[in-house]
Amino acid sequence: MPSFNLELLQPLLRLYLQLGGGVLLGLLLGRWVPQRLPAAIGQFLFWIGAPVSIIAFLRGADLSGTIWIAPVTAWMAILLGGGLAWIWLRRHQQENDPINPWSKPAQGSFLLASMVGNTGYLGFPISLALVGDKYFGWALFYDMLGSLIGTFGLGVILAAHYGRGQQNYRYLVQALLFNPALWSLGFGLGFRQIPLPDLAEQGLQAFAWGAIALSLLLFGMRLSQLKSGRSIKRASLSLGIKMLFVPLVLGIGLWQLGITGTPLLVIVLQMAMPPAFSTLVIAEVYHLDHELTVSALALGSSGLIVTLPIWLLLFGS
């Protein structure tokens, strides 16, 4: 196994103070601001903030070497998490629980929570804060070519199968084709070699970091609106698969294959993110188990404080 490195706990403490402060402020503001404000911030980040940030951070990212391993690992994590969740559901399908039975919508939410993580709004700032923008490309490729397509591809297909709503696959096509983050990835790859004046470069970076801070604020606002507690047991099972078992197994596997150092840490951090907020959107569109999805989001986001030191100690070398 990779050697322990206690020095990485120092940037972790800075991460809790810097990024945790943004989430905490969002939690406080979320109880007082109008409901339309988080939606407006989300629209701004979706169409402008996140795409510009991707373009900005790509300029300093190292895209050489075996960066293709990031999206491949993302799909391995998605399939492993979903496969383990499916096996667990099959083994417990015969359980008789008249109070809280496993409905098809609950199974769909359980599968989604075990598969796709918040590698954008939360994974990006955590990776940037802990390792800097040199290895941002690894996190970006993991998210864009793995989590994003997995969420709105395989995730939507599963939701359509397990949900109570109509199986409208047009939502899948729209989610992929009209996602500006994917377009900015292509533009950013071509734009990263074009030199800019120092003032313009500094302004671009400042805007990108401002968008990251705003995304954490939005994350806190959304967390403040999550209220659920009756599906904690099921949510804990899905999070055990998503945030503990999958990162540990695949992280050790990558290390055995010779992927070490910061690239390994970035990939493990992305795998260990809590369920994506997009799972809540999908759950609402396809009428999955809303309570289970909300419980997994809230519990996973809170548990990240505990799990982050584990990955830094195991894979931060």
Side-chain angles (χ1 to χ4, degrees), residues 13-27:
L13 293 176
R14 290 198 299 269
L15 171 71
Y16 286 161
L17 291 175
Q18 297 170 358
L19 306 187
V23 175
L24 180 60
L25 180 59
L27 279 168

Side-chain angles (χ1 to χ4, degrees), residues 104-105 156-169 171 281-289:
K104 287 195 68 174
V156 168
I157 293 173
L158 289 173
H161 174 72
Y162 286 96
R164 299 191 185 101
Q166 297 180 349
Q167 299 186 12
N168 182 7
Y169 291 100
Y171 178 72
V281 176
I282 295 174
E284 292 172 347
V285 171
Y286 288 95
H287 302 283
L288 297 179
D289 190 324

